[in-house]
PDB file of all heavy atoms in Angstrom:
ATOM      1  N   PRO A   1      48.694  62.791 -50.733  1.00 98.00           N
ATOM      2  CA  PRO A   1      49.248  61.679 -51.509  1.00 98.00           C
ATOM      3  C   PRO A   1      48.208  60.911 -52.295  1.00 98.00           C
ATOM      4  O   PRO A   1      47.067  60.773 -51.881  1.00 98.00           O
ATOM      5  CB  PRO A   1      49.893  60.824 -50.453  1.00 98.00           C
ATOM      6  CG  PRO A   1      49.173  61.236 -49.141  1.00 98.00           C
ATOM      7  CD  PRO A   1      48.746  62.666 -49.352  1.00 98.00           C
ATOM      8  N   VAL A   2      48.634  60.354 -53.458  1.00 98.00           N
ATOM      9  CA  VAL A   2      47.673  59.694 -54.398  1.00 98.00           C
ATOM     10  C   VAL A   2      48.162  58.343 -54.683  1.00 98.00           C
ATOM     11  O   VAL A   2      49.389  58.222 -55.185  1.00 98.00           O
ATOM     12  CB  VAL A   2      47.407  60.563 -55.535  1.00 98.00           C
ATOM     13  CG1 VAL A   2      46.754  59.773 -56.644  1.00 98.00           C
ATOM     14  CG2 VAL A   2      46.646  61.866 -55.232  1.00 98.00           C
ATOM     15  N   GLY A   3      47.418  57.375 -54.755  1.00 98.00           N
ATOM     16  CA  GLY A   3      47.792  56.014 -55.291  1.00 98.00           C
ATOM     17  C   GLY A   3      46.715  55.491 -56.294  1.00 98.00           C
ATOM     18  O   GLY A   3      45.571  56.003 -56.266  1.00 98.00           O
ATOM     19  N   VAL A   4      47.161  54.627 -57.176  1.00 98.00           N
ATOM     20  CA  VAL A   4      46.269  54.061 -58.117  1.00 98.00           C
ATOM     21  C   VAL A   4      46.195  52.525 -57.711  1.00 98.00           C
ATOM     22  O   VAL A   4      47.192  51.789 -57.513  1.00 98.00           O
ATOM     23  CB  VAL A   4      46.832  54.071 -59.601  1.00 98.00           C
ATOM     24  CG1 VAL A   4      46.018  53.162 -60.497  1.00 98.00           C
ATOM     25  CG2 VAL A   4      46.733  55.527 -60.081  1.00 98.00           C
ATOM     26  N   VAL A   5      44.955  52.062 -57.449  1.00 98.00           N
ATOM     27  CA  VAL A   5      44.718  50.644 -57.137  1.00 98.00           C
ATOM     28  C   VAL A   5      43.883  50.063 -58.194  1.00 98.00           C
ATOM     29  O   VAL A   5      42.788  50.430 -58.347  1.00 98.00           O
ATOM     30  CB  VAL A   5      44.043  50.508 -55.730  1.00 98.00           C
ATOM     31  CG1 VAL A   5      43.777  49.108 -55.430  1.00 98.00           C
ATOM     32  CG2 VAL A   5      44.794  51.343 -54.698  1.00 98.00           C
ATOM     33  N   SER A   6      44.425  49.021 -58.999  1.00 98.00           N
ATOM     34  CA  SER A   6      43.743  48.575 -60.149  1.00 98.00           C
ATOM     35  C   SER A   6      43.703  47.122 -60.234  1.00 98.00           C
ATOM     36  O   SER A   6      44.669  46.458 -59.892  1.00 98.00           O
ATOM     37  CB  SER A   6      44.382  49.143 -61.440  1.00 98.00           C
ATOM     38  OG  SER A   6      43.744  48.536 -62.543  1.00 98.00           O
ATOM     39  N   ASN A   7      42.546  46.519 -60.528  1.00 98.00           N
ATOM     40  CA  ASN A   7      42.418  45.124 -60.941  1.00 98.00           C
ATOM     41  C   ASN A   7      42.864  44.968 -62.362  1.00 98.00           C
ATOM     42  O   ASN A   7      42.214  45.518 -63.292  1.00 98.00           O
ATOM     43  CB  ASN A   7      40.941  44.626 -60.839  1.00 98.00           C
ATOM     44  CG  ASN A   7      40.684  44.113 -59.395  1.00 98.00           C
ATOM     45  OD1 ASN A   7      41.473  44.103 -58.540  1.00 98.00           O
ATOM     46  ND2 ASN A   7      39.441  43.751 -59.193  1.00 98.00           N
ATOM     47  N   ILE A   8      44.114  44.438 -62.662  1.00 98.00           N
ATOM     48  CA  ILE A   8      44.571  44.515 -64.013  1.00 98.00           C
ATOM     49  C   ILE A   8      45.598  43.398 -64.198  1.00 98.00           C
ATOM     50  O   ILE A   8      46.158  42.852 -63.103  1.00 98.00           O
ATOM     51  CB  ILE A   8      45.225  45.842 -64.202  1.00 98.00           C
ATOM     52  CG1 ILE A   8      45.472  46.195 -65.690  1.00 98.00           C
ATOM     53  CG2 ILE A   8      46.569  46.058 -63.433  1.00 98.00           C
ATOM     54  CD1 ILE A   8      45.753  47.695 -66.043  1.00 98.00           C
ATOM     55  N   GLY A   9      45.911  43.094 -65.396  1.00 98.00           N
ATOM     56  CA  GLY A   9      47.012  42.031 -65.645  1.00 98.00           C
ATOM     57  C   GLY A   9      48.236  42.493 -66.353  1.00 98.00           C
ATOM     58  O   GLY A   9      48.950  41.678 -66.904  1.00 98.00           O
ATOM     59  N   TRP A  10      48.434  43.877 -66.420  1.00 98.00           N
ATOM     60  CA  TRP A  10      49.595  44.293 -67.046  1.00 98.00           C
ATOM     61  C   TRP A  10      49.985  45.670 -66.424  1.00 98.00           C
ATOM     62  O   TRP A  10      49.260  46.250 -65.669  1.00 98.00           O
ATOM     63  CB  TRP A  10      49.314  44.478 -68.594  1.00 98.00           C
ATOM     64  CG  TRP A  10      47.978  45.168 -68.768  1.00 98.00           C
ATOM     65  CD1 TRP A  10      46.723  44.640 -68.865  1.00 98.00           C
ATOM     66  CD2 TRP A  10      47.936  46.616 -69.135  1.00 98.00           C
ATOM     67  NE1 TRP A  10      45.787  45.627 -69.198  1.00 98.00           N
ATOM     68  CE2 TRP A  10      46.468  46.904 -69.379  1.00 98.00           C
ATOM     69  CE3 TRP A  10      48.745  47.670 -69.265  1.00 98.00           C
ATOM     70  CZ2 TRP A  10      45.955  48.129 -69.578  1.00 98.00           C
ATOM     71  CZ3 TRP A  10      48.250  48.909 -69.504  1.00 98.00           C
ATOM     72  CH2 TRP A  10      46.840  49.168 -69.665  1.00 98.00           C
ATOM     73  N   ASP A  11      51.176  45.986 -66.780  1.00 98.00           N
ATOM     74  CA  ASP A  11      51.754  47.252 -66.201  1.00 98.00           C
ATOM     75  C   ASP A  11      51.129  48.601 -66.942  1.00 98.00           C
ATOM     76  O   ASP A  11      51.512  48.866 -67.961  1.00 98.00           O
ATOM     77  CB  ASP A  11      53.295  47.339 -66.288  1.00 98.00           C
ATOM     78  CG  ASP A  11      53.890  48.468 -65.663  1.00 98.00           C
ATOM     79  OD1 ASP A  11      53.231  49.172 -64.920  1.00 98.00           O
ATOM     80  OD2 ASP A  11      55.101  48.615 -65.646  1.00 98.00           O
ATOM     81  N   LEU A  12      50.352  49.346 -66.189  1.00 98.00           N
ATOM     82  CA  LEU A  12      49.742  50.432 -66.713  1.00 98.00           C
ATOM     83  C   LEU A  12      50.540  51.802 -66.524  1.00 98.00           C
ATOM     84  O   LEU A  12      50.195  52.903 -67.029  1.00 98.00           O
ATOM     85  CB  LEU A  12      48.205  50.733 -66.003  1.00 98.00           C
ATOM     86  CG  LEU A  12      48.150  50.616 -64.470  1.00 98.00           C
ATOM     87  CD1 LEU A  12      48.913  51.933 -63.844  1.00 98.00           C
ATOM     88  CD2 LEU A  12      46.813  50.556 -64.118  1.00 98.00           C
ATOM     89  N   ARG A  13      51.654  51.601 -65.938  1.00 98.00           N
ATOM     90  CA  ARG A  13      52.573  52.840 -65.717  1.00 98.00           C
ATOM     91  C   ARG A  13      52.841  53.531 -66.944  1.00 98.00           C
ATOM     92  O   ARG A  13      52.797  54.828 -66.972  1.00 98.00           O
ATOM     93  CB  ARG A  13      53.832  52.374 -64.851  1.00 98.00           C
ATOM     94  CG  ARG A  13      53.502  52.069 -63.524  1.00 98.00           C
ATOM     95  CD  ARG A  13      54.736  51.430 -62.770  1.00 98.00           C
ATOM     96  NE  ARG A  13      54.515  50.968 -61.454  1.00 98.00           N
ATOM     97  CZ  ARG A  13      54.191  49.611 -61.249  1.00 98.00           C
ATOM     98  NH1 ARG A  13      53.960  48.827 -62.195  1.00 98.00           N
ATOM     99  NH2 ARG A  13      53.947  49.267 -59.980  1.00 98.00           N
ATOM    100  N   PRO A  14      53.162  52.811 -68.029  1.00 98.00           N
ATOM    101  CA  PRO A  14      53.496  53.620 -69.311  1.00 98.00           C
ATOM    102  C   PRO A  14      52.304  54.385 -69.808  1.00 98.00           C
ATOM    103  O   PRO A  14      52.608  55.388 -70.464  1.00 98.00           O
ATOM    104  CB  PRO A  14      53.892  52.433 -70.325  1.00 98.00           C
ATOM    105  CG  PRO A  14      54.455  51.359 -69.384  1.00 98.00           C
ATOM    106  CD  PRO A  14      53.507  51.367 -68.310  1.00 98.00           C
ATOM    107  N   VAL A  15      51.157  53.999 -69.588  1.00 98.00           N
ATOM    108  CA  VAL A  15      49.951  54.742 -69.999  1.00 98.00           C
ATOM    109  C   VAL A  15      49.949  56.115 -69.192  1.00 98.00           C
ATOM    110  O   VAL A  15      49.729  57.152 -69.788  1.00 98.00           O
ATOM    111  CB  VAL A  15      48.622  54.016 -69.698  1.00 98.00           C
ATOM    112  CG1 VAL A  15      47.365  54.760 -70.029  1.00 98.00           C
ATOM    113  CG2 VAL A  15      48.627  52.645 -70.639  1.00 98.00           C
ATOM    114  N   PHE A  16      50.117  55.993 -67.946  1.00 98.00           N
ATOM    115  CA  PHE A  16      50.261  57.243 -67.143  1.00 98.00           C
ATOM    116  C   PHE A  16      51.402  58.191 -67.596  1.00 98.00           C
ATOM    117  O   PHE A  16      51.201  59.416 -67.708  1.00 98.00           O
ATOM    118  CB  PHE A  16      50.317  56.933 -65.692  1.00 98.00           C
ATOM    119  CG  PHE A  16      49.052  56.552 -65.043  1.00 98.00           C
ATOM    120  CD1 PHE A  16      48.469  55.329 -65.162  1.00 98.00           C
ATOM    121  CD2 PHE A  16      48.361  57.512 -64.177  1.00 98.00           C
ATOM    122  CE1 PHE A  16      47.320  55.020 -64.609  1.00 98.00           C
ATOM    123  CE2 PHE A  16      47.182  57.153 -63.521  1.00 98.00           C
ATOM    124  CZ  PHE A  16      46.583  55.845 -63.818  1.00 98.00           C
ATOM    125  N   ARG A  17      52.442  57.568 -67.909  1.00 98.00           N
ATOM    126  CA  ARG A  17      53.675  58.367 -68.429  1.00 98.00           C
ATOM    127  C   ARG A  17      53.413  59.117 -69.779  1.00 98.00           C
ATOM    128  O   ARG A  17      53.583  60.247 -69.907  1.00 98.00           O
ATOM    129  CB  ARG A  17      54.824  57.574 -68.455  1.00 98.00           C
ATOM    130  CG  ARG A  17      55.471  57.219 -67.229  1.00 98.00           C
ATOM    131  CD  ARG A  17      56.873  56.653 -67.191  1.00 98.00           C
ATOM    132  NE  ARG A  17      56.940  55.320 -67.931  1.00 98.00           N
ATOM    133  CZ  ARG A  17      56.958  54.166 -67.244  1.00 98.00           C
ATOM    134  NH1 ARG A  17      56.826  54.118 -66.067  1.00 98.00           N
ATOM    135  NH2 ARG A  17      57.021  53.015 -67.914  1.00 98.00           N
ATOM    136  N   ALA A  18      52.798  58.309 -70.692  1.00 98.00           N
ATOM    137  CA  ALA A  18      52.530  58.811 -71.897  1.00 98.00           C
ATOM    138  C   ALA A  18      51.555  59.920 -72.018  1.00 98.00           C
ATOM    139  O   ALA A  18      51.593  60.830 -72.746  1.00 98.00           O
ATOM    140  CB  ALA A  18      51.974  57.638 -72.876  1.00 98.00           C
ATOM    141  N   HIS A  19      50.546  59.862 -71.018  1.00 98.00           N
ATOM    142  CA  HIS A  19      49.525  60.969 -71.004  1.00 98.00           C
ATOM    143  C   HIS A  19      49.821  62.094 -69.949  1.00 98.00           C
ATOM    144  O   HIS A  19      49.016  62.923 -69.708  1.00 98.00           O
ATOM    145  CB  HIS A  19      48.157  60.393 -70.701  1.00 98.00           C
ATOM    146  CG  HIS A  19      47.696  59.536 -71.874  1.00 98.00           C
ATOM    147  ND1 HIS A  19      47.056  60.051 -72.931  1.00 98.00           N
ATOM    148  CD2 HIS A  19      47.724  58.148 -72.067  1.00 98.00           C
ATOM    149  CE1 HIS A  19      46.689  59.066 -73.748  1.00 98.00           C
ATOM    150  NE2 HIS A  19      47.070  57.938 -73.304  1.00 98.00           N
ATOM    151  N   GLY A  20      51.060  61.994 -69.324  1.00 98.00           N
ATOM    152  CA  GLY A  20      51.480  63.087 -68.486  1.00 98.00           C
ATOM    153  C   GLY A  20      50.790  63.038 -67.070  1.00 98.00           C
ATOM    154  O   GLY A  20      50.991  64.068 -66.259  1.00 98.00           O
ATOM    155  N   LEU A  21      50.343  61.870 -66.638  1.00 98.00           N
ATOM    156  CA  LEU A  21      49.710  61.825 -65.320  1.00 98.00           C
ATOM    157  C   LEU A  21      50.700  61.230 -64.319  1.00 98.00           C
ATOM    158  O   LEU A  21      50.386  61.295 -63.072  1.00 98.00           O
ATOM    159  CB  LEU A  21      48.355  61.067 -65.365  1.00 98.00           C
ATOM    160  CG  LEU A  21      47.078  61.810 -65.659  1.00 98.00           C
ATOM    161  CD1 LEU A  21      47.139  62.445 -67.119  1.00 98.00           C
ATOM    162  CD2 LEU A  21      45.828  60.973 -65.514  1.00 98.00           C
ATOM    163  N   ASP A  22      51.654  60.566 -64.700  1.00 98.00           N
ATOM    164  CA  ASP A  22      52.500  59.869 -63.807  1.00 98.00           C
ATOM    165  C   ASP A  22      53.141  60.753 -62.713  1.00 98.00           C
ATOM    166  O   ASP A  22      53.283  60.228 -61.437  1.00 98.00           O
ATOM    167  CB  ASP A  22      53.668  59.156 -64.575  1.00 98.00           C
ATOM    168  CG  ASP A  22      54.632  58.397 -63.589  1.00 98.00           C
ATOM    169  OD1 ASP A  22      54.131  57.378 -63.083  1.00 98.00           O
ATOM    170  OD2 ASP A  22      55.740  58.808 -63.568  1.00 98.00           O
ATOM    171  N   PRO A  23      53.419  62.048 -62.907  1.00 98.00           N
ATOM    172  CA  PRO A  23      54.079  62.818 -61.908  1.00 98.00           C
ATOM    173  C   PRO A  23      53.138  63.058 -60.700  1.00 98.00           C
ATOM    174  O   PRO A  23      53.683  63.441 -59.687  1.00 98.00           O
ATOM    175  CB  PRO A  23      54.350  64.183 -62.612  1.00 98.00           C
ATOM    176  CG  PRO A  23      54.483  63.847 -63.951  1.00 98.00           C
ATOM    177  CD  PRO A  23      53.473  62.694 -64.260  1.00 98.00           C
ATOM    178  N   TYR A  24      51.791  62.726 -60.867  1.00 98.00           N
ATOM    179  CA  TYR A  24      50.874  63.044 -59.804  1.00 98.00           C
ATOM    180  C   TYR A  24      50.568  61.763 -59.007  1.00 98.00           C
ATOM    181  O   TYR A  24      49.758  61.831 -58.074  1.00 98.00           O
ATOM    182  CB  TYR A  24      49.625  63.621 -60.414  1.00 98.00           C
ATOM    183  CG  TYR A  24      49.878  64.822 -61.285  1.00 98.00           C
ATOM    184  CD1 TYR A  24      49.532  64.819 -62.608  1.00 98.00           C
ATOM    185  CD2 TYR A  24      50.465  66.003 -60.778  1.00 98.00           C
ATOM    186  CE1 TYR A  24      49.776  65.966 -63.452  1.00 98.00           C
ATOM    187  CE2 TYR A  24      50.742  67.206 -61.608  1.00 98.00           C
ATOM    188  CZ  TYR A  24      50.395  67.055 -62.852  1.00 98.00           C
ATOM    189  OH  TYR A  24      50.681  68.203 -63.707  1.00 98.00           O
ATOM    190  N   ILE A  25      51.167  60.589 -59.373  1.00 98.00           N
ATOM    191  CA  ILE A  25      50.938  59.383 -58.668  1.00 98.00           C
ATOM    192  C   ILE A  25      52.042  59.002 -57.808  1.00 98.00           C
ATOM    193  O   ILE A  25      53.219  58.873 -58.377  1.00 98.00           O
ATOM    194  CB  ILE A  25      50.573  58.310 -59.678  1.00 98.00           C
ATOM    195  CG1 ILE A  25      49.568  58.704 -60.737  1.00 98.00           C
ATOM    196  CG2 ILE A  25      50.216  57.001 -59.024  1.00 98.00           C
ATOM    197  CD1 ILE A  25      48.155  59.113 -60.121  1.00 98.00           C
ATOM    198  N   ASP A  26      51.753  58.741 -56.501  1.00 98.00           N
ATOM    199  CA  ASP A  26      52.856  58.362 -55.597  1.00 98.00           C
ATOM    200  C   ASP A  26      53.106  56.944 -55.574  1.00 98.00           C
ATOM    201  O   ASP A  26      54.200  56.484 -55.315  1.00 98.00           O
ATOM    202  CB  ASP A  26      52.503  58.902 -54.189  1.00 98.00           C
ATOM    203  CG  ASP A  26      52.428  60.381 -54.089  1.00 98.00           C
ATOM    204  OD1 ASP A  26      53.496  61.034 -54.243  1.00 98.00           O
ATOM    205  OD2 ASP A  26      51.299  60.911 -53.988  1.00 98.00           O
ATOM    206  N   VAL A  27      52.055  56.079 -55.776  1.00 98.00           N
ATOM    207  CA  VAL A  27      52.215  54.641 -55.782  1.00 98.00           C
ATOM    208  C   VAL A  27      51.164  53.948 -56.607  1.00 98.00           C
ATOM    209  O   VAL A  27      50.087  54.535 -56.802  1.00 98.00           O
ATOM    210  CB  VAL A  27      52.126  54.206 -54.287  1.00 98.00           C
ATOM    211  CG1 VAL A  27      50.674  54.331 -53.752  1.00 98.00           C
ATOM    212  CG2 VAL A  27      52.429  52.634 -54.173  1.00 98.00           C
ATOM    213  N   TYR A  28      51.616  52.866 -57.207  1.00 98.00           N
ATOM    214  CA  TYR A  28      50.643  52.012 -58.030  1.00 98.00           C
ATOM    215  C   TYR A  28      50.629  50.691 -57.352  1.00 98.00           C
ATOM    216  O   TYR A  28      51.619  50.007 -57.059  1.00 98.00           O
ATOM    217  CB  TYR A  28      51.287  51.750 -59.514  1.00 98.00           C
ATOM    218  CG  TYR A  28      51.364  53.014 -60.313  1.00 98.00           C
ATOM    219  CD1 TYR A  28      52.482  53.809 -60.311  1.00 98.00           C
ATOM    220  CD2 TYR A  28      50.258  53.438 -61.118  1.00 98.00           C
ATOM    221  CE1 TYR A  28      52.491  54.904 -61.216  1.00 98.00           C
ATOM    222  CE2 TYR A  28      50.538  54.581 -61.895  1.00 98.00           C
ATOM    223  CZ  TYR A  28      51.571  55.299 -61.877  1.00 98.00           C
ATOM    224  OH  TYR A  28      51.694  56.410 -62.689  1.00 98.00           O
ATOM    225  N   VAL A  29      49.382  50.292 -57.104  1.00 98.00           N
ATOM    226  CA  VAL A  29      49.182  48.947 -56.488  1.00 98.00           C
ATOM    227  C   VAL A  29      48.265  48.078 -57.429  1.00 98.00           C
ATOM    228  O   VAL A  29      47.002  48.375 -57.521  1.00 98.00           O
ATOM    229  CB  VAL A  29      48.439  49.025 -55.077  1.00 98.00           C
ATOM    230  CG1 VAL A  29      48.217  47.661 -54.564  1.00 98.00           C
ATOM    231  CG2 VAL A  29      49.419  49.834 -54.093  1.00 98.00           C
ATOM    232  N   LEU A  30      48.938  47.262 -58.102  1.00 98.00           N
ATOM    233  CA  LEU A  30      48.209  46.489 -59.215  1.00 98.00           C
ATOM    234  C   LEU A  30      47.969  45.128 -58.830  1.00 98.00           C
ATOM    235  O   LEU A  30      48.983  44.397 -58.370  1.00 98.00           O
ATOM    236  CB  LEU A  30      49.090  46.616 -60.481  1.00 98.00           C
ATOM    237  CG  LEU A  30      49.447  47.950 -60.837  1.00 98.00           C
ATOM    238  CD1 LEU A  30      50.407  47.929 -62.151  1.00 98.00           C
ATOM    239  CD2 LEU A  30      48.441  48.998 -60.990  1.00 98.00           C
ATOM    240  N   SER A  31      46.849  44.616 -59.123  1.00 98.00           N
ATOM    241  CA  SER A  31      46.479  43.203 -58.575  1.00 98.00           C
ATOM    242  C   SER A  31      47.334  42.192 -59.096  1.00 98.00           C
ATOM    243  O   SER A  31      47.738  41.274 -58.236  1.00 98.00           O
ATOM    244  CB  SER A  31      45.025  42.860 -59.005  1.00 98.00           C
ATOM    245  OG  SER A  31      44.959  42.918 -60.468  1.00 98.00           O
ATOM    246  N   TYR A  32      47.736  42.196 -60.365  1.00 98.00           N
ATOM    247  CA  TYR A  32      48.539  41.066 -60.706  1.00 98.00           C
ATOM    248  C   TYR A  32      49.938  41.131 -60.149  1.00 98.00           C
ATOM    249  O   TYR A  32      50.661  39.989 -60.151  1.00 98.00           O
ATOM    250  CB  TYR A  32      48.721  41.144 -62.383  1.00 98.00           C
ATOM    251  CG  TYR A  32      49.724  42.117 -62.901  1.00 98.00           C
ATOM    252  CD1 TYR A  32      51.033  41.503 -63.324  1.00 98.00           C
ATOM    253  CD2 TYR A  32      49.645  43.360 -63.003  1.00 98.00           C
ATOM    254  CE1 TYR A  32      51.968  42.286 -63.818  1.00 98.00           C
ATOM    255  CE2 TYR A  32      50.497  44.279 -63.360  1.00 98.00           C
ATOM    256  CZ  TYR A  32      51.775  43.722 -63.842  1.00 98.00           C
ATOM    257  OH  TYR A  32      52.785  44.567 -64.381  1.00 98.00           O
ATOM    258  N   GLU A  33      50.421  42.216 -59.669  1.00 98.00           N
ATOM    259  CA  GLU A  33      51.748  42.261 -59.000  1.00 98.00           C
ATOM    260  C   GLU A  33      51.603  41.663 -57.585  1.00 98.00           C
ATOM    261  O   GLU A  33      52.690  41.414 -56.990  1.00 98.00           O
ATOM    262  CB  GLU A  33      52.268  43.678 -59.019  1.00 98.00           C
ATOM    263  CG  GLU A  33      52.687  44.107 -60.385  1.00 98.00           C
ATOM    264  CD  GLU A  33      53.238  45.578 -60.416  1.00 98.00           C
ATOM    265  OE1 GLU A  33      52.892  46.330 -59.431  1.00 98.00           O
ATOM    266  OE2 GLU A  33      53.844  45.932 -61.464  1.00 98.00           O
ATOM    267  N   HIS A  34      50.476  41.583 -57.038  1.00 98.00           N
ATOM    268  CA  HIS A  34      50.265  41.164 -55.663  1.00 98.00           C
ATOM    269  C   HIS A  34      49.580  39.796 -55.589  1.00 98.00           C
ATOM    270  O   HIS A  34      49.451  39.197 -54.457  1.00 98.00           O
ATOM    271  CB  HIS A  34      49.627  42.251 -54.837  1.00 98.00           C
ATOM    272  CG  HIS A  34      50.402  43.530 -54.749  1.00 98.00           C
ATOM    273  ND1 HIS A  34      51.363  43.709 -53.855  1.00 98.00           N
ATOM    274  CD2 HIS A  34      50.456  44.584 -55.621  1.00 98.00           C
ATOM    275  CE1 HIS A  34      51.812  45.013 -53.981  1.00 98.00           C
ATOM    276  NE2 HIS A  34      51.276  45.440 -55.061  1.00 98.00           N
TER     277      HIS A  34
END
């Protein structure tokens, strides 16, 4: 299982989808959402 943990102020999920990496990520934990 793979997660992305980022200090960030915006939703990076569209970047992963556009570049074809989203299918390999199980969870995104973004600082601004928490």
Side-chain angles (χ1 to χ4, degrees):
V2 169
V4 170
V5 183
S6 178
N7 277 354
I8 200 165
W10 50 277
D11 186 4
L12 51 70
R13 295 171 183 88
V15 175
F16 279 76
R17 289 196 291 268
H19 290 280
L21 273 64
D22 181 65
Y24 308 116
I25 307 301
D26 296 291
V27 64
Y28 296 90
V29 177
L30 311 181
S31 61
Y32 84 102
E33 294 181 337
H34 297 272

